[in-house]
Structures are given as C-alpha cells and as structure tokens.
Amino acid sequence: AGALGLALATEYEPPPILEAIAHHAPDALWSVERHAPPGAEPAHLVTFKTPEYVLSSLADVRPGGMGHSELIWRATMSPQAMVFVNQPGSSSESDARLPGYWAGNARLPRVAQWRETLIAMHRVAEHDLLPWTHAHFPCATFDEYALRDGWAFAQVGDGYLAITCSTGMALTREGRYALRELRAPGPVSTWLVQMGRAALDGDFLAFQTKVLAAPYTCGRETVHWSTIRGDELQLDWDGLLRVNGAPLATDEGRHVENAYTTAELPCVSMDIRLGDDVLRLDFTTS
C-alpha cells in the first residue's frame, strides 16, 4: 500500500536530505538492517557500498532449505554489471515457474558477508533437477575481465570484482548464456567473492595479484580465508561468521544501523542525519 501510494503521488517530492543521501558517495558505507513483520521470518540485510560498487546479502536464510525467488546476494558494479550465484530450480526464466534458472534457489546456501568479502556455501542434493550452481557473470557489461588460476575477475571503471568456486568453474562460451555464465559442478561447492577499488588496490592487474596471493581452504563444513585486507575469516555451515577469531555479532533488536541512522526494532522513531541536517520521523502519530 505504501509503495502504491507513493507511485501514484505525482506531486510528491522527497525531503532534500534523502536526495542528498542518495547522491552521497562516502569511501565506504557499512549498513545493517533487520526487518521483522508480524508473523514473518526476520530478514537480516547487510550492505557494503563504495563509489565504485555495492555488495549486499541476506544474512540469515536457513541453509539447505527449499528456496523460491530469493536473491541471496548481489555485487553491483553498474546498472548492467551485476554478479550473483544461485542453484537453478529449473531451466525456466519465467516468473510463473520459481525457482527458475536465474531467479531463486532450489536449495538455499549458507551466506556470510564481511564488508567487501562474501562467502556462499552450497549443498546440492544429487536428486535435484539441476544439481549444480552457477554465477551470473555478464562479460559484455565489464570494461575488462580475466580468467586466471581458478578465479574470474571483472573491472568496471575503478571498481573490481573477483569470484571463485571451490569445485572449479567454467565460462559458458556457447548457447543462450555464452559469456554470461560461470558454471560450477559438484554437490558441495563454496563461492568466494572479493570486491576492490583502484584507490586501495592499484590497477586491475595489481588487484588480481593481491587476490591470487590470499590463501583459502574450503572444507565440507568450514571455510577459512585470509583476505586481501588482512582479515581472517572462518565460516561454518552451522555457525556464525568469525572475523579475526571473533564471532560477528548481530543485534537482534536493531532495525537499521549505518552512518545515517540507528533505529531499534520495533521502530517508533528515526533520526536521519547527513552533516548538520536531521530528518526526524515519528511513527507513533497517525
């Protein structure tokens, strides 16, 4: 109802502070949200944003469960250059059949994100219709891309992406998905994603060299990864993400927490700040 009302309000203009935030481009923005409508499973969203890219994920899906239409994580480098991974539920691209080839997952993965890094552990059943995983990797939308030593790299402007899979992966070069699909075999696979930017990592080749020098191990139940930022990550199939030995804490009561606002859940009011400007929202009034 809220979205429909806003769409029909042709005379509505958002408050200037919201427009300013939309155009604000800090070097790094880490944002955590938790949405818990009455009677629904809570959704825990995390986002890391720089001027060059956005990496976001849904952090608390139940791994191994049946999926539907969920987009569990996505790396966005431009409106066209978007990378994500799923286990297809069918060969269909129609919204009438979900999960499909790109939409949703036949089985939900275990996903954890720490700033510009992401781990996605998949456990595929052998009797699934399509018992493998794949990445949407649209080569034509990148300024440059490279396949090296088991990794796929992409560059858009000053933003970089690196992605690999523990079971290996191959770029589809024929057919409908030629040069836009990385396909990985195997019932047990783990995907790693590392984002980068020229301001921190130098040129595209220097970024590739950094990523290739960062060691990782992927077992059936546990992943260890020493990232290019010097963080030690450990993710267990049934446990919390550990960053440098400490479990990544999540505040179950927090609704939104980022550089612009912090609000509790249930949310009765919210102060949105940018510089000296503040927009106060009071949800207790009708």
Side-chain angles (χ1 to χ4, degrees), residues 54-117:
V54 177
L55 180 65
S56 57
S57 62
L58 183 62
D60 55 358
V61 296
R62 296 184 178 182
M66 302 298 290
H68 185 253
S69 59
E70 307 86 355
L71 180 61
I72 303 300
W73 69 267
R74 182 172 69 183
T76 304
M77 306 175 76
S78 78
Q80 295 77 34
M82 294 180 288
V83 177
F84 59 89
V85 170
N86 74 317
Q87 181 204 348
S90 72
S91 59
S92 174
E93 290 192 20
S94 170
D95 290 341
R97 185 173 183 181
L98 296 172
Y101 197 75
W102 292 113
N105 286 266
R107 297 186 186 277
L108 296 171
R110 174 73 174 98
V111 172
Q113 178 182 342
W114 172 241
R115 296 176 67 83
E116 64 266 78
T117 53

Side-chain angles (χ1 to χ4, degrees), residues 210-238:
K210 283 185 176 183
V211 171
L212 294 176
Y216 68 89
T217 58
C218 296
R220 182 179 182 86
E221 302 297 330
T222 304
V223 176
H224 295 271
W225 187 11
S226 300
T227 75
I228 65 174
R229 303 290 178 244
D231 291 318
E232 298 292 332
L233 305 184
Q234 176 183 325
L235 179 63
D236 299 327
W237 177 257
D238 294 320

Side-chain angles (χ1 to χ4, degrees), residues 114 232-234 240-249:
W114 172 241
E232 298 292 332
L233 305 184
Q234 176 183 325
L240 294 174
L241 174 67
R242 291 183 173 270
V243 180
N244 300 321
L248 187 60

Side-chain angles (χ1 to χ4, degrees), residues 122-142:
H122 288 261
R123 302 292 179 268
V124 175
E126 293 183 359
H127 61 268
D128 285 345
L129 181 63
L130 300 174
W132 39 266
T133 59
H134 64 166
H136 182 256
F137 190 77
C139 296
T141 68
F142 307 138

